[in-house]
Structures are given as C-alpha cells and as structure tokens.
Amino acid sequence: MRNLTHPEPPRPQAFMKPVPFPWRWALAVVAGSLAAARLAASLDLPLEAKQDALRLNRLPLAGVPVSSEPGNPAGSDGRAPRLDVPNGSGTQNPTTAGQFRTGLFMGGGVSASDWRARENSPLLNGQASLADALPQMQVPTARQGTTITFGLRSARMGMPYLPRSVSLAFGSVIEPPAVDEAGRDIAAIRFQYWLPEPYTTNNHANAGYYWSPHARKVYAIQPGPITITWRKALAYTAANFPSSYVNPGGGTSSARDGANTYLLFTEPHLVSGSPAKPTRTIYWTEREFRTLSKPVTIPSSKVGAV
C-alpha cells in the first residue's frame, strides 16, 4: 500500500540510446558468426550422405499424391493429376515420376540421345523457331495440347559428399563389438566380454588394422571396408561348447586353444579416408634417441636419397 502522506520519490528513468546504424550491422555480423561457429562445431566430420537415415514423409495421414489412383502404389492418396484432365495450370503435362518418394541422386544432366540426327537436322540451321527446334534438339519439353510451351535446354545435378556410410575415421581406435554373438547389447561390459586382441592366424598380416601389443588396442590404418574377428573372453570346453553356433559375420565360428574353445564374432567396418586427428610432422631421431624411436620406412620410389 502506498503512503499518501509521504509519497515515494520519483524513480530514475532508464533510457536506452538507439544503436547507430553501422553498429547494428556489426552486431548482426557478430551474431551471425557466432551462430555459424556453433553450427560448424555441431557438425560431425567427415560429411557423408547416409541413405539409411533418410526420413519418410509421415505427416499426411491420407498419403501423398504419388499417383491418380488411391492406394496404387501403397501410400498414394490419388491426388496426382490425370493425363485426361487438365491440371490447375490448364496443361496436361504428366507428373514427374518418383515425386514424394525418397531418392538418392548421384549426378546427371540433359543430353541428346542421337547426336548425329541432331547435327543433321535441317531445323537447327538458325531459321526455325525455338518451338519447332526443341524436338530436334532432343531436350525435355512440356506441351499444352500439341503446342510446346517450354523446353529444358540444360540441367545439372550434383553428387553427395560420400555415397557410403563410414563407421570409423582413419587412425581411430576400433573398440570391441557393443553386442554379443546373439546381437544383445553389452556396451557396458564389451571390454570384459571380448578379448582385446582380434583373432588371427598370421599375426595380423594384411589385416587392414594395426594391433598394438603395448597399448592393447586396435587402430584403423586402411581406408575402405575391413573386417575384424573377435574372440569371446569366456572359454568353452567340449562338454559345454554350443555346437550350433554360426558366426553371424561369416568365416570361422570357433577357435581351439588346447582344451579350450572360443567363439568368434566377425564385425565389418568402413574406414573413412579422413584422419581422426590432425596431421603431425615426423622428425628423424638419431644418436641416443635411435633406440627409442620407431623406424619410418620410406619407399625408394617416393624418395630416392636423403
């Protein structure tokens, strides 16, 4: 309740000065740069196109206008224009095949199907009208009845960054599988469930990965598809070995070590050509550091002499 006998003193008013015009642009640029930096920091590199991550349009409950017949194909609401009925623009152009469907474009353009007939056409000598020349140019056209309304003279479609989904970056650590031999989730105990060293019969020669006996880790050293076969840490005997087990990834299903038998699990990976860490400079080490450094082999075809 306010005291009417002793009114409150007037409170100071705070006024905000208008920001000068050049400073408004500066603030906008700074805000845009911060937003771009935040967006760039949230991107997972390397960039790739994941075909299995494409989203389906599930918002229209009745379907989408894939065709002029409801339910044919599945998901069509029948609202696609019919060829015998003029559409909203007054034309009877057929709809583009594959509309409202998920697709992956690798690249393309507009090209003539018969270059010889195109070169020898008498209508392409500069005397005919464009409407008459378009069919001879062998480019896509649109018609209103029998009259050509427009033609697509050129077009280009680009390619995605990567056509395949990668699971590992070059040089990254390959961890044991996060599932067991039956596909059940064991991410919390994966390092105890599988032995750290992959199964090998030739000391990991030409394996596409590097097994470090000192770090006891596996590293991805070859871009492209690789497979790694892991051994289950729990050993079986002849009495309790599951003879019906089949390796889901193909290859050998078990390995014997004396009286013990180990289940094998093969897991595929696709290694990216982009490195997991920034590149570093390798320096030559001599004298007292010679026994501590790792020798670097340089092919003679690359460097003839040092």
Side-chain angles (χ1 to χ4, degrees), residues 163-222:
R164 302 182 64 180
S165 176
V166 296
S167 53
L168 296 168
F170 181 81
S172 60
V173 176
I174 305 178
E175 297 182 344
V179 296
D180 63 4
E181 65 276 8
R184 295 182 291 262
D185 183 22
I186 58 165
I189 59 171
R190 65 165 72 181
F191 296 99
Q192 294 78 32
Y193 195 89
W194 304 104
L195 293 178
E197 181 180 4
Y199 172 73
T200 180
T201 58
N202 59 356
N203 197 25
H204 309 286
N206 302 320
Y209 61 84
Y210 172 70
W211 159 250
S212 173
H214 305 287
R216 299 192 65 79
K217 293 181 179 180
V218 183
Y219 296 90
I221 61 171
Q222 175 180 301

Side-chain angles (χ1 to χ4, degrees), residues 128-186:
S129 64
L130 182 60
D132 295 334
L134 283 175
Q136 302 299 322
M137 295 172 63
Q138 303 176 25
V139 297
T141 58
R143 299 174 181 266
Q144 185 173 3
T146 59
T147 304
I148 297 178
T149 55
F150 63 88
L152 183 64
R153 301 183 61 181
S154 63
R156 274 185 189 176
M157 293 181 289
M159 296 179 64
Y161 287 96
L162 291 175
R164 302 182 64 180
S165 176
V166 296
S167 53
L168 296 168
F170 181 81
S172 60
V173 176
I174 305 178
E175 297 182 344
V179 296
D180 63 4
E181 65 276 8
R184 295 182 291 262
D185 183 22
I186 58 165

